[in-house]
Amino acid sequence: MIARLLCVTVLLSLLTGCRESQKKKELLVVEFKPETTLRYKFVSERDITLELKSDDPKMQDKNKPQKMAEKLELVIAYKPVEVDPFGLTVIEATCESAQVTRRNFTAANTTPDAAQQLAGKTFTIKLSPSGKITDYSSLTEIVQRLGEQAFTGSTTGSQKIKNPDMIYDFIAMQWYLWDSVATIDKPLDGVKKGTTWTADQLIPLPVPMIAARKTTYTFNNIMETPEGRKAIINSEYELTKAKLENWPKPYAESFAMKGMFGFLRNYQYQSVEGTGKQIFNIDSGTVESDRQHYIMTMTAAFMLPLGDSVPVITLDQKITTELLD
């Protein structure tokens, strides 16, 4: 009799512990409600420093850092067209405004950025409850059209000349908007506070080169608010050589870059360091805000050698996402 009571007690303890464990897990699911449009403001901005490093102290004194900056601001409205809580949701996204400001190494830029052509454009995406984009076709078409707008119309030799643009910034902000949820290893199992997971993501650069970072997400805490329970998801970034998938190529042919970056070659990525913080409303299934800040360094070489001086480029990058409604 005593043995039976002990078995029952142990079983009840195990079941209670299992239930307590499940209670500590949170199911992070992206939700869109019918006839409810979500408007977001996206900002990608970076300060760029170009320095010439040399072993010659005399040359080092002469090589003063050069600086430039560029900033893309977007407002995009996401309207659900077909909502399936257990399947794919079709979303129509309309870019309400797009503005680029740029200060080049030598002067203010006067050429309109191709990314500004996003204003008034509409594209559709299909999204799973876990936040994965399953159909990129409409988004890819928009990106390719933007790429066509980036060329000056002039050529150098047999190559077209491309203006600076922030198309890759648009790609990064759209492709990875729901990545904090979409890249959870087993989303249906839920996550506990302290759980970490990773994602490989495109780094937007002032040159049309492909660089990737490994983002490590951490489910840090939960805030109880009148608007619902909000998950705080922290992120850290580092350089990775992982091959990226499912991203579009804006340019269909080879080209020469206009400006300073057209004189540089052989870019070598050195490091990426930074952190971010996202607020995800668990009850409404909505990304409410996301802030990223990281520093990236890379080296390059001049088209024509300039002694032993090595160009070193430092990017101070900030990317923010804010729910407006």
Side-chain angles (χ1 to χ4, degrees), residues 149-166:
Q149 299 295 319
F151 292 91
T152 64
S154 56
T155 61
T156 173
S158 60
Q159 289 187 316
K160 290 184 177 181
I161 298 176
K162 191 186 77 64
N163 283 316
D165 67 68
M166 298 189 75

Side-chain angles (χ1 to χ4, degrees), residues 257-265 267 301-304:
M257 279 286 294
K258 183 179 179 180
M260 175 64 76
F261 292 111
F263 294 98
L264 298 178
R265 298 288 186 274
Y267 293 95
F302 284 108
M303 190 187 316
L304 299 175

Side-chain angles (χ1 to χ4, degrees), residues 58-103:
K58 294 181 181 179
M59 289 296 296
Q60 192 63 51
D61 292 339
K62 294 179 181 179
N63 294 335
K64 295 183 178 179
Q66 299 183 59
K67 296 181 180 294
M68 71 167 287
E70 50 190 5
K71 180 178 182 180
L72 170 64
E73 298 178 86
L74 301 171
V75 174
I76 300 180
Y78 299 87
K79 176 184 176 182
V81 178
E82 299 175 18
V83 178
D84 183 351
F86 306 104
L88 299 179
T89 293
V90 180
I91 301 166
E92 182 182 82
T94 301
C95 184
E96 297 180 347
S97 64
Q99 182 64 43
V100 174
T101 53
R102 178 177 287 110
R103 185 183 71 253

